[in-house]
Amino acid sequence: MIFIKKSERLPKKFDKEGWMYYSSERFDLFYPSYGDTYPCYNGAVGMTYEQGGIGAGRAVLLKNGEVLTLQDRIDHHTKAILTVVELANVQKDVLSKEFRAYFKDNRTKPKGKYQTYIVKNNPKIQELSVLLNRNRIESAFADETKKCRVIIINPTKRSRSS
């Protein structure tokens, strides 16, 4: 999110409309729970834009006495997302460079203490193997029967097959 921090575009656009917003960052992605998680884990830029109103129906009365409508939430979200797309276009070279670096660095200089994982036998081990292969993450069974009790995963090695 390097390019978002440098931008004043979204606050200026919201200010122009007279819309309130909160601009502090708060990281709460401690487990893969949002729709942008999987793309982020694969090098994409992911952002979650939220505005209260879940379960509010078409309108909600705010604590300050104002009414926030579904149309307001749609307008705010549309403005935010289109501003991000606009900004991504302006900084496309930086984004492309960072995207390539993400994959190169993870292959050549992986972070973390462990580079290989051994997974104990589990009824879903075959499904895990299929998922890893689909995502081109190298893995192997301990023996040829594939009835072994472990699967070895090396997340830093990506197979070249698609």
Side-chain angles (χ1 to χ4, degrees):
M1 288 202 231
I2 297 165
F3 72 104
I4 295 300
K5 289 181 184 177
K6 295 178 183 176
S7 175
E8 293 297 319
R9 287 176 190 248
L10 189 57
K12 283 181 181 176
K13 290 187 179 199
F14 271 53
D15 287 345
K16 184 179 176 183
E17 299 290 340
W19 296 339
M20 295 179 65
Y21 57 89
Y22 177 71
S23 60
S24 283
E25 260 189 56
R26 188 176 73 104
F27 181 81
D28 66 350
L29 188 56
F30 297 112
Y31 65 98
S33 60
Y34 293 109
D36 63 354
T37 303
Y38 189 77
C40 285
Y41 286 172
N42 284 279
V45 174
M47 288 162 263
T48 303
Y49 284 95
E50 296 177 307
Q51 185 164 22
I54 295 174
R58 291 183 291 167
V60 62
L61 181 62
L62 302 176
K63 290 181 183 178
N64 66 4
E66 290 186 28
V67 175
L68 178 69
T69 66
L70 178 58
Q71 187 60 56
D72 292 334
R73 293 173 15 222
I74 291 168
D75 292 344
H76 300 166
H77 194 79
T78 301
K79 180 76 73 177
I81 296 308
L82 291 177
T83 301
V84 170
V85 170
E86 177 185 291
L87 185 56
N89 181 56
V90 168
Q91 295 196 11
K92 61 184 172 271
D93 294 336
V94 172
L95 286 172
S96 294
K97 179 183 168 199
E98 292 296 321
F99 184 79
R100 286 189 297 275
Y102 172 86
F103 286 102
K104 181 182 178 201
D105 291 349
N106 279 296
R107 280 191 310 273
T108 59
K109 300 177 270 185
K111 294 179 182 177
K113 185 171 154 182
Y114 303 102
Q115 295 190 16
T116 299
Y117 301 89
I118 299 175
V119 180
K120 293 182 180 180
N121 196 28
N122 181 295
K124 294 190 174 198
I125 202 160
Q126 292 293 339
E127 291 176 48
L128 175 60
S129 178
V130 169
L131 180 64
L132 292 170
N133 288 335
R134 187 179 308 140
N135 287 280
R136 297 185 324 231
I137 297 173
E138 188 175 285
S139 66
F141 286 92
D143 67 21
E144 294 300 317
T145 67
K146 295 187 180 181
K147 295 179 182 176
C148 64
R149 298 203 177 270
V150 298
I151 185 170
I152 301 167
I153 304 165
N154 187 339
T156 63
K157 291 188 179 179
R158 297 247 178 196
S159 66
R160 298 205 184 265
S161 63
S162 36

PDB file of all heavy atoms in Angstrom, residues 94-114:
ATOM      1  N   VAL A  94       5.423   1.826 -10.607  1.00  0.00           N
ATOM      2  CA  VAL A  94       5.807   1.445  -9.241  1.00  0.00           C
ATOM      3  C   VAL A  94       5.106   0.146  -8.837  1.00  0.00           C
ATOM      4  O   VAL A  94       5.726  -0.761  -8.284  1.00  0.00           O
ATOM      5  CB  VAL A  94       5.460   2.572  -8.239  1.00  0.00           C
ATOM      6  CG1 VAL A  94       5.676   2.118  -6.808  1.00  0.00           C
ATOM      7  CG2 VAL A  94       6.266   3.812  -8.531  1.00  0.00           C
ATOM      8  N   LEU A  95       3.816   0.050  -9.131  1.00  0.00           N
ATOM      9  CA  LEU A  95       3.067  -1.164  -8.792  1.00  0.00           C
ATOM     10  C   LEU A  95       3.624  -2.387  -9.502  1.00  0.00           C
ATOM     11  O   LEU A  95       3.776  -3.452  -8.897  1.00  0.00           O
ATOM     12  CB  LEU A  95       1.586  -0.992  -9.121  1.00  0.00           C
ATOM     13  CG  LEU A  95       0.796  -0.102  -8.185  1.00  0.00           C
ATOM     14  CD1 LEU A  95      -0.600   0.140  -8.732  1.00  0.00           C
ATOM     15  CD2 LEU A  95       0.723  -0.714  -6.805  1.00  0.00           C
ATOM     16  N   SER A  96       3.937  -2.261 -10.779  1.00  0.00           N
ATOM     17  CA  SER A  96       4.493  -3.388 -11.542  1.00  0.00           C
ATOM     18  C   SER A  96       5.841  -3.811 -10.973  1.00  0.00           C
ATOM     19  O   SER A  96       6.114  -5.001 -10.817  1.00  0.00           O
ATOM     20  CB  SER A  96       4.649  -3.009 -13.019  1.00  0.00           C
ATOM     21  OG  SER A  96       3.393  -2.801 -13.596  1.00  0.00           O
ATOM     22  N   LYS A  97       6.677  -2.834 -10.660  1.00  0.00           N
ATOM     23  CA  LYS A  97       8.004  -3.130 -10.089  1.00  0.00           C
ATOM     24  C   LYS A  97       7.868  -3.855  -8.747  1.00  0.00           C
ATOM     25  O   LYS A  97       8.537  -4.850  -8.480  1.00  0.00           O
ATOM     26  CB  LYS A  97       8.783  -1.829  -9.924  1.00  0.00           C
ATOM     27  CG  LYS A  97      10.148  -2.009  -9.323  1.00  0.00           C
ATOM     28  CD  LYS A  97      10.826  -0.652  -9.139  1.00  0.00           C
ATOM     29  CE  LYS A  97      12.054  -0.814  -8.261  1.00  0.00           C
ATOM     30  NZ  LYS A  97      12.483   0.428  -7.687  1.00  0.00           N
ATOM     31  N   GLU A  98       6.984  -3.333  -7.883  1.00  0.00           N
ATOM     32  CA  GLU A  98       6.779  -3.946  -6.570  1.00  0.00           C
ATOM     33  C   GLU A  98       6.176  -5.351  -6.682  1.00  0.00           C
ATOM     34  O   GLU A  98       6.507  -6.246  -5.916  1.00  0.00           O
ATOM     35  CB  GLU A  98       5.891  -3.060  -5.696  1.00  0.00           C
ATOM     36  CG  GLU A  98       6.537  -1.760  -5.285  1.00  0.00           C
ATOM     37  CD  GLU A  98       7.751  -1.954  -4.404  1.00  0.00           C
ATOM     38  OE1 GLU A  98       7.730  -2.855  -3.530  1.00  0.00           O
ATOM     39  OE2 GLU A  98       8.727  -1.209  -4.571  1.00  0.00           O
ATOM     40  N   PHE A  99       5.290  -5.548  -7.637  1.00  0.00           N
ATOM     41  CA  PHE A  99       4.674  -6.857  -7.860  1.00  0.00           C
ATOM     42  C   PHE A  99       5.737  -7.876  -8.246  1.00  0.00           C
ATOM     43  O   PHE A  99       5.798  -8.974  -7.694  1.00  0.00           O
ATOM     44  CB  PHE A  99       3.598  -6.752  -8.942  1.00  0.00           C
ATOM     45  CG  PHE A  99       2.842  -8.022  -9.181  1.00  0.00           C
ATOM     46  CD1 PHE A  99       1.830  -8.410  -8.325  1.00  0.00           C
ATOM     47  CD2 PHE A  99       3.129  -8.825 -10.280  1.00  0.00           C
ATOM     48  CE1 PHE A  99       1.125  -9.583  -8.536  1.00  0.00           C
ATOM     49  CE2 PHE A  99       2.424 -10.002 -10.501  1.00  0.00           C
ATOM     50  CZ  PHE A  99       1.414 -10.369  -9.631  1.00  0.00           C
ATOM     51  N   ARG A 100       6.605  -7.514  -9.195  1.00  0.00           N
ATOM     52  CA  ARG A 100       7.683  -8.422  -9.598  1.00  0.00           C
ATOM     53  C   ARG A 100       8.634  -8.681  -8.430  1.00  0.00           C
ATOM     54  O   ARG A 100       9.063  -9.817  -8.215  1.00  0.00           O
ATOM     55  CB  ARG A 100       8.441  -7.848 -10.788  1.00  0.00           C
ATOM     56  CG  ARG A 100       7.672  -7.943 -12.092  1.00  0.00           C
ATOM     57  CD  ARG A 100       8.522  -7.571 -13.287  1.00  0.00           C
ATOM     58  NE  ARG A 100       8.998  -6.197 -13.269  1.00  0.00           N
ATOM     59  CZ  ARG A 100       8.307  -5.155 -13.710  1.00  0.00           C
ATOM     60  NH1 ARG A 100       7.106  -5.320 -14.231  1.00  0.00           N
ATOM     61  NH2 ARG A 100       8.813  -3.941 -13.652  1.00  0.00           N
ATOM     62  N   ALA A 101       8.969  -7.648  -7.677  1.00  0.00           N
ATOM     63  CA  ALA A 101       9.891  -7.800  -6.544  1.00  0.00           C
ATOM     64  C   ALA A 101       9.319  -8.728  -5.483  1.00  0.00           C
ATOM     65  O   ALA A 101      10.060  -9.496  -4.860  1.00  0.00           O
ATOM     66  CB  ALA A 101      10.206  -6.432  -5.941  1.00  0.00           C
ATOM     67  N   TYR A 102       8.001  -8.682  -5.284  1.00  0.00           N
ATOM     68  CA  TYR A 102       7.349  -9.545  -4.295  1.00  0.00           C
ATOM     69  C   TYR A 102       7.671 -11.009  -4.582  1.00  0.00           C
ATOM     70  O   TYR A 102       8.082 -11.755  -3.704  1.00  0.00           O
ATOM     71  CB  TYR A 102       5.840  -9.303  -4.320  1.00  0.00           C
ATOM     72  CG  TYR A 102       5.040 -10.267  -3.478  1.00  0.00           C
ATOM     73  CD1 TYR A 102       4.827 -10.028  -2.131  1.00  0.00           C
ATOM     74  CD2 TYR A 102       4.499 -11.432  -4.027  1.00  0.00           C
ATOM     75  CE1 TYR A 102       4.094 -10.900  -1.355  1.00  0.00           C
ATOM     76  CE2 TYR A 102       3.765 -12.313  -3.257  1.00  0.00           C
ATOM     77  CZ  TYR A 102       3.565 -12.046  -1.924  1.00  0.00           C
ATOM     78  OH  TYR A 102       2.843 -12.923  -1.162  1.00  0.00           O
ATOM     79  N   PHE A 103       7.500 -11.420  -5.826  1.00  0.00           N
ATOM     80  CA  PHE A 103       7.744 -12.819  -6.178  1.00  0.00           C
ATOM     81  C   PHE A 103       9.231 -13.151  -6.192  1.00  0.00           C
ATOM     82  O   PHE A 103       9.637 -14.206  -5.710  1.00  0.00           O
ATOM     83  CB  PHE A 103       7.102 -13.158  -7.524  1.00  0.00           C
ATOM     84  CG  PHE A 103       5.616 -13.269  -7.420  1.00  0.00           C
ATOM     85  CD1 PHE A 103       4.799 -12.239  -7.859  1.00  0.00           C
ATOM     86  CD2 PHE A 103       5.021 -14.390  -6.856  1.00  0.00           C
ATOM     87  CE1 PHE A 103       3.424 -12.329  -7.739  1.00  0.00           C
ATOM     88  CE2 PHE A 103       3.649 -14.486  -6.727  1.00  0.00           C
ATOM     89  CZ  PHE A 103       2.850 -13.458  -7.174  1.00  0.00           C
ATOM     90  N   LYS A 104      10.051 -12.266  -6.709  1.00  0.00           N
ATOM     91  CA  LYS A 104      11.496 -12.510  -6.745  1.00  0.00           C
ATOM     92  C   LYS A 104      12.050 -12.641  -5.324  1.00  0.00           C
ATOM     93  O   LYS A 104      12.783 -13.581  -5.019  1.00  0.00           O
ATOM     94  CB  LYS A 104      12.202 -11.381  -7.485  1.00  0.00           C
ATOM     95  CG  LYS A 104      13.691 -11.600  -7.573  1.00  0.00           C
ATOM     96  CD  LYS A 104      14.389 -10.453  -8.274  1.00  0.00           C
ATOM     97  CE  LYS A 104      15.879 -10.707  -8.277  1.00  0.00           C
ATOM     98  NZ  LYS A 104      16.632  -9.498  -8.468  1.00  0.00           N
ATOM     99  N   ASP A 105      11.692 -11.694  -4.465  1.00  0.00           N
ATOM    100  CA  ASP A 105      12.196 -11.724  -3.089  1.00  0.00           C
ATOM    101  C   ASP A 105      11.719 -12.953  -2.330  1.00  0.00           C
ATOM    102  O   ASP A 105      12.465 -13.522  -1.532  1.00  0.00           O
ATOM    103  CB  ASP A 105      11.784 -10.462  -2.331  1.00  0.00           C
ATOM    104  CG  ASP A 105      12.490  -9.217  -2.845  1.00  0.00           C
ATOM    105  OD1 ASP A 105      13.447  -9.344  -3.642  1.00  0.00           O
ATOM    106  OD2 ASP A 105      12.070  -8.106  -2.472  1.00  0.00           O
ATOM    107  N   ASN A 106      10.495 -13.379  -2.568  1.00  0.00           N
ATOM    108  CA  ASN A 106       9.992 -14.569  -1.869  1.00  0.00           C
ATOM    109  C   ASN A 106      10.652 -15.846  -2.346  1.00  0.00           C
ATOM    110  O   ASN A 106      10.696 -16.834  -1.620  1.00  0.00           O
ATOM    111  CB  ASN A 106       8.473 -14.663  -1.999  1.00  0.00           C
ATOM    112  CG  ASN A 106       7.801 -13.769  -0.994  1.00  0.00           C
ATOM    113  OD1 ASN A 106       7.930 -13.971   0.207  1.00  0.00           O
ATOM    114  ND2 ASN A 106       7.127 -12.740  -1.459  1.00  0.00           N
ATOM    115  N   ARG A 107      11.160 -15.842  -3.577  1.00  0.00           N
ATOM    116  CA  ARG A 107      11.895 -17.014  -4.073  1.00  0.00           C
ATOM    117  C   ARG A 107      13.350 -16.983  -3.637  1.00  0.00           C
ATOM    118  O   ARG A 107      13.916 -18.004  -3.278  1.00  0.00           O
ATOM    119  CB  ARG A 107      11.821 -17.085  -5.599  1.00  0.00           C
ATOM    120  CG  ARG A 107      10.557 -17.661  -6.138  1.00  0.00           C
ATOM    121  CD  ARG A 107      10.664 -17.955  -7.631  1.00  0.00           C
ATOM    122  NE  ARG A 107      11.171 -16.831  -8.408  1.00  0.00           N
ATOM    123  CZ  ARG A 107      10.434 -15.848  -8.911  1.00  0.00           C
ATOM    124  NH1 ARG A 107       9.135 -15.838  -8.721  1.00  0.00           N
ATOM    125  NH2 ARG A 107      10.983 -14.879  -9.606  1.00  0.00           N
ATOM    126  N   THR A 108      13.964 -15.812  -3.694  1.00  0.00           N
ATOM    127  CA  THR A 108      15.403 -15.726  -3.454  1.00  0.00           C
ATOM    128  C   THR A 108      15.779 -15.367  -2.020  1.00  0.00           C
ATOM    129  O   THR A 108      16.855 -15.732  -1.562  1.00  0.00           O
ATOM    130  CB  THR A 108      16.039 -14.689  -4.408  1.00  0.00           C
ATOM    131  OG1 THR A 108      15.432 -13.408  -4.185  1.00  0.00           O
ATOM    132  CG2 THR A 108      15.853 -15.112  -5.856  1.00  0.00           C
ATOM    133  N   LYS A 109      14.924 -14.637  -1.327  1.00  0.00           N
ATOM    134  CA  LYS A 109      15.202 -14.225   0.053  1.00  0.00           C
ATOM    135  C   LYS A 109      13.951 -14.408   0.903  1.00  0.00           C
ATOM    136  O   LYS A 109      13.389 -13.430   1.400  1.00  0.00           O
ATOM    137  CB  LYS A 109      15.635 -12.760   0.099  1.00  0.00           C
ATOM    138  CG  LYS A 109      16.880 -12.434  -0.685  1.00  0.00           C
ATOM    139  CD  LYS A 109      17.174 -10.957  -0.616  1.00  0.00           C
ATOM    140  CE  LYS A 109      16.466 -10.286  -1.763  1.00  0.00           C
ATOM    141  NZ  LYS A 109      16.709  -8.878  -1.944  1.00  0.00           N
ATOM    142  N   PRO A 110      13.492 -15.641   1.070  1.00  0.00           N
ATOM    143  CA  PRO A 110      12.241 -15.832   1.820  1.00  0.00           C
ATOM    144  C   PRO A 110      12.379 -15.380   3.266  1.00  0.00           C
ATOM    145  O   PRO A 110      13.429 -15.512   3.872  1.00  0.00           O
ATOM    146  CB  PRO A 110      11.987 -17.333   1.729  1.00  0.00           C
ATOM    147  CG  PRO A 110      13.305 -17.942   1.406  1.00  0.00           C
ATOM    148  CD  PRO A 110      14.090 -16.904   0.654  1.00  0.00           C
ATOM    149  N   LYS A 111      11.293 -14.809   3.781  1.00  0.00           N
ATOM    150  CA  LYS A 111      11.274 -14.358   5.168  1.00  0.00           C
ATOM    151  C   LYS A 111      10.867 -15.520   6.052  1.00  0.00           C
ATOM    152  O   LYS A 111      10.186 -16.442   5.618  1.00  0.00           O
ATOM    153  CB  LYS A 111      10.271 -13.211   5.334  1.00  0.00           C
ATOM    154  CG  LYS A 111      10.671 -11.973   4.587  1.00  0.00           C
ATOM    155  CD  LYS A 111       9.651 -10.886   4.749  1.00  0.00           C
ATOM    156  CE  LYS A 111      10.067  -9.682   3.931  1.00  0.00           C
ATOM    157  NZ  LYS A 111       9.091  -8.613   3.979  1.00  0.00           N
ATOM    158  N   GLY A 112      11.250 -15.465   7.260  1.00  0.00           N
ATOM    159  CA  GLY A 112      10.828 -16.476   8.226  1.00  0.00           C
ATOM    160  C   GLY A 112      11.907 -17.502   8.504  1.00  0.00           C
ATOM    161  O   GLY A 112      12.861 -17.671   7.754  1.00  0.00           O
ATOM    162  N   LYS A 113      11.723 -18.175   9.581  1.00  0.00           N
ATOM    163  CA  LYS A 113      12.688 -19.143  10.070  1.00  0.00           C
ATOM    164  C   LYS A 113      12.608 -20.470   9.307  1.00  0.00           C
ATOM    165  O   LYS A 113      13.611 -21.120   9.078  1.00  0.00           O
ATOM    166  CB  LYS A 113      12.376 -19.356  11.554  1.00  0.00           C
ATOM    167  CG  LYS A 113      13.305 -20.218  12.313  1.00  0.00           C
ATOM    168  CD  LYS A 113      12.940 -20.094  13.799  1.00  0.00           C
ATOM    169  CE  LYS A 113      13.326 -21.298  14.582  1.00  0.00           C
ATOM    170  NZ  LYS A 113      12.945 -21.212  15.984  1.00  0.00           N
ATOM    171  N   TYR A 114      11.396 -20.854   8.885  1.00  0.00           N
ATOM    172  CA  TYR A 114      11.193 -22.153   8.255  1.00  0.00           C
ATOM    173  C   TYR A 114      10.995 -22.012   6.755  1.00  0.00           C
ATOM    174  O   TYR A 114      10.295 -21.123   6.294  1.00  0.00           O
ATOM    175  CB  TYR A 114       9.973 -22.853   8.864  1.00  0.00           C
ATOM    176  CG  TYR A 114      10.090 -23.024  10.351  1.00  0.00           C
ATOM    177  CD1 TYR A 114       9.412 -22.178  11.226  1.00  0.00           C
ATOM    178  CD2 TYR A 114      10.912 -23.984  10.893  1.00  0.00           C
ATOM    179  CE1 TYR A 114       9.538 -22.305  12.595  1.00  0.00           C
ATOM    180  CE2 TYR A 114      11.061 -24.130  12.258  1.00  0.00           C
ATOM    181  CZ  TYR A 114      10.362 -23.278  13.108  1.00  0.00           C
ATOM    182  OH  TYR A 114      10.494 -23.410  14.457  1.00  0.00           O
TER     183      TYR A 114
END
